[in-house]
Amino acid sequence: MSSIGTGYDLSVTTFSPDGRVFQIEYAAKAVDNSGTVIGIKCKDGIVMGVEKLIASKMMLPGSNRRIHSVHRHSGMAVAGLAADGRQIVARAKSEATNYQSVYGEPIPVKELAERVASYVHLCTLYWWLRPFGCGIILGGYDRDGPQLYMVEPSGISYRYFGAAIGKGKQAAKTEIEKLKLSEMTCREGVIEVAKIIYKVHDEAKDKAFELEMSWVCDESKQQHQKVPDDLLEEAKVAARTALEEMDAD
Amino acid sequence: MDLEMNLNAPHSMGTTIIGVTYNGGVVLGADSRTSTGMYVANRASDKITQLTDNVYVCRSGSAADSQIVSDYVRYFLHQHTIQLGQSATSKVAANLIRLLSYNNKNMLETGLIVGGWDKYEGGKIYAIPLGGTLIEQPFAIGGSGSSYLYGFFDQAWKEGMTKDEAEQLVVKAVSLAIARDGASGGVVRTVIINSEGVTRNFYPGDKLQLWHEELEPQNSLLDLLNSSNPEPMNI
């Protein structure tokens, strides 16, 4: 799939002869170089997890947040260029509060996903803008239940049962497909997400990483929040044990 | 006696409007009098206006103001429905009405009652009086005729009525208000909204029950002289 679009890749407003916009594809590559981000839809909510690759040992644990709350009922996990991600999160928060002010109810997750996707797509239409170099996993819980969306740098947004972006996305997707999501609660889902992230982390290429997880489910009263510390610890322990068992084979 | 009628006074709907929830939906009711000062400009107006398939609004106060607000909200709701891909909820309709009423409170003079049914909340009634407050209530009354109904509803309102009980309550209440309020009159219109859809009903003024001291309609008071009891005027 890797090819250079010599001559046709200088601007996001240029198509190549075979109908591709190379700038958008290059933006997607920026996402692929980032740490893995996954999201799953369990029967009672959404769980999202991020493999935060630690750039420097001097950073405090818990810094460089990758998962953000957009509104009380929804959150976003970002992969790719962090500064681009900050812009998109700000826009999503603004859309959500504006919708609430005008319509008097929390923004439906479908509507939020459409607005974010439309904003990302906007930046692929003008030569004086560059596409966002980030992929977004958006999870929320509204009147129609829990929903999970993924937005790519091209501005495409689809609804998913399970989604993965970043370095280990292929391996992560295979693992997610093995899960029986419709029968799983979010409590169980948190353990599974941690196991997957530990599994797809490449010890050789990337040294240390920090696991960041959030959920929005019945147990959290349909509010988006960080996974409680005790459950997070439990998940990390389970993930490390699972890895050791695999290595022991 | 003031025989000078101000025919150029702004059209105002003196009005009695009512919205009531019942077990399964809502019933909206209103009278039909629109007055310009003392002159009845329209004796058969329809004060219950559609906003969407499942949400209607009762209008009171200035006829022009209430119409323009309804028109704007119908327009916004239409766009919202297209964007959302499904019917708007009654709460959203009420909020849009409230935003217009509150933000333009210096210019508008209209009290509205929004009533509708949606699949998430069922039947709901929202009152938006003059200043632009929004309040969700099991029942709401408004307009000049509503002053005479506060005590009546305190006594007659019950939780969990059937559709027919609710409609009978609304018709009786509007009829009582028409009897006492000079700015309300004409016919009683009702709109029932539930999961099955919308039903409009019409009760002509002369078919309504007579209240205290109300006389039977008659062609001429002189007929009294030829009737069986020729001196009914004697106290």
Side-chain angles (χ1 to χ4, degrees):
Chain A
M1 213 232 92
S2 261
S3 62
I4 324 169
T6 328
Y8 300 109
D9 60 347
L10 296 174
S11 156
V12 78
T13 52
T14 308
F15 277 98
S16 73
D18 52 346
R20 293 153 74 174
V21 183
F22 281 100
Q23 279 295 311
I24 297 179
E25 293 186 20
Y26 295 163
K29 293 243 174 63
V31 179
D32 288 342
N33 289 337
S34 140
T36 316
V37 174
I38 47 181
I40 56 170
K41 171 172 152 8
C42 307
K43 69 177 178 196
D44 64 333
I46 307 281
V47 180
M48 294 189 285
V50 177
E51 173 204 10
K52 264 194 321 196
L53 297 167
I54 299 179
S56 152
K57 289 209 177 84
M58 295 208 266
M59 272 170 51
L60 283 172
S63 59
N64 187 24
R65 291 228 61 170
R66 297 279 293 281
I67 308 184
H68 302 89
S69 279
V70 171
H71 200 60
R72 276 179 288 270
H73 65 350
S74 52
M76 239 179 202
V78 180
L81 300 173
D84 287 11
R86 199 166 45 236
Q87 184 80 332
I88 298 182
V89 169
R91 179 73 186 213
K93 285 179 178 172
S94 158
E95 292 280 3
T97 33
N98 175 259
Y99 185 98
Q100 168 99 46
S101 306
V102 171
Y103 296 104
E105 58 171 17
I107 185 168
V109 187
K110 175 171 179 255
E111 183 68 25
L112 177 63
E114 262 170 51
R115 292 195 184 192
V116 170
S118 153
Y119 180 63
V120 169
H121 177 243
L122 191 80
C123 298
T124 66
L125 294 172
Y126 304 102
W127 61 264
W128 36 268
L129 285 175
R130 67 162 173 80
F132 281 104
C134 25
I136 288 139
I137 295 195
L138 206 175
Y141 200 138
D142 64 19
R143 281 179 322 202
D144 298 311
Q147 290 154 71
L148 181 71
Y149 288 86
M150 182 165 83
V151 185
E152 297 169 23
S154 56
I156 295 178
S157 152
Y158 291 131
R159 197 173 153 188
Y160 291 91
F161 291 112
I165 39 181
K167 277 196 169 90
K169 71 171 185 224
Q170 279 306 114
K173 277 190 209 160
T174 324
E175 290 303 314
I176 294 175
E177 279 166 27
K178 291 182 192 161
L179 300 172
K180 285 213 174 62
L181 292 170
S182 53
E183 291 159 25
M184 204 183 281
T185 64
C186 277
R187 244 182 195 259
E188 294 158 0
V190 167
I191 314 283
E192 293 303 325
V193 166
K195 281 190 194 160
I196 296 175
I197 293 200
Y198 270 76
K199 191 164 177 190
V200 305
H201 174 67
D202 192 337
E203 272 301 321
K205 290 207 194 120
D206 313 305
K207 296 293 151 52
F209 81 100
E210 195 190 324
L211 178 63
E212 190 179 317
M213 286 216 280
S214 79
W215 66 358
V216 52
C217 56
D218 291 334
E219 208 182 311
S220 74
K221 299 202 177 48
Q222 294 94 36
Q223 313 277 34
H224 179 253
Q225 53 181 221
K226 268 170 53 176
V227 166
D229 290 331
D230 53 340
L231 183 57
L232 190 59
E233 266 317 302
E234 198 187 311
K236 286 183 185 171
V237 164
R240 278 185 221 118
T241 326
L243 255 186
E244 277 156 31
E245 278 170 21
M246 234 184 55
D247 289 340
D249 288 336
Chain B
M1 193 160 47
D2 178 16
L3 292 168
E4 287 279 322
M5 287 203 282
N6 181 7
L7 293 168
N8 294 318
H11 279 51
S12 155
M13 297 176 302
T15 307
T16 307
I17 49 172
I18 300 179
V20 148
T21 56
Y22 72 91
N23 180 21
V26 296
V27 179
L28 300 176
D31 74 306
S32 69
R33 178 170 290 182
T34 306
S35 35
T36 3
M38 282 296 107
Y39 174 66
V40 177
N42 186 350
R43 63 184 169 95
S45 23
D46 182 7
K47 302 180 187 180
I48 310 178
T49 313
Q50 184 181 30
L51 294 179
T52 71
D53 286 342
N54 51 316
V55 182
Y56 280 66
V57 63
C58 295
R59 302 179 292 112
S60 78
S62 154
D65 289 353
S66 65
Q67 279 175 12
I68 203 77
V69 168
S70 311
D71 287 349
Y72 269 117
V73 171
R74 190 181 309 120
Y75 167 64
F76 295 140
L77 279 173
H78 183 229
Q79 293 186 317
H80 178 63
T81 305
I82 293 171
Q83 182 80 357
L84 215 57
Q86 55 187 40
S87 330
T89 59
S90 35
K91 175 148 67 141
V92 166
N95 200 57
L96 290 171
I97 295 245
R98 178 270 294 245
L99 286 176
L100 282 173
S101 285
Y102 178 75
N103 290 325
N104 297 294
K105 60 160 80 194
N106 294 328
M107 290 186 283
L108 294 174
E109 190 193 296
T110 171
L112 301 152
I113 297 179
V114 175
W117 184 94
D118 59 69
K119 66 184 185 208
Y120 300 108
E121 303 265 7
K124 286 282 175 188
I125 292 285
Y126 297 89
I128 303 130
L130 245 38
T133 45
L134 170 65
I135 174 155
E136 197 254 303
Q137 298 175 297
F139 70 90
I141 55 179
S144 56
S146 68
S147 317
Y148 309 103
L149 296 176
Y150 284 96
F152 173 71
F153 268 91
D154 282 347
Q155 192 235 25
W157 158 260
K158 293 186 292 150
E159 189 72 50
M161 290 185 285
T162 66
K163 179 173 74 149
D164 292 326
E165 281 176 341
E167 203 195 4
Q168 286 319 304
L169 178 66
V170 167
V171 174
K172 182 173 180 182
V174 178
S175 167
L176 282 166
I178 286 175
R180 285 292 180 179
D181 179 29
S184 299
V187 308
V188 180
R189 294 191 195 274
T190 64
V191 170
I192 307 172
I193 314 173
N194 52 33
S195 56
E196 281 140 44
V198 176
T199 316
R200 259 193 184 281
N201 285 325
F202 168 83
Y203 299 88
D206 56 353
K207 294 289 178 300
L208 298 170
Q209 165 184 4
L210 287 173
W211 303 115
H212 179 53
E213 284 176 341
E214 286 194 310
L215 298 174
E216 296 278 350
Q218 46 213 339
N219 292 324
S220 164
L221 286 171
L222 289 172
D223 288 345
L224 286 170
L225 293 171
N226 299 327
S227 73
S228 52
N229 187 5
E231 313 240 20
M233 300 293 203
N234 287 347
I235 298 163

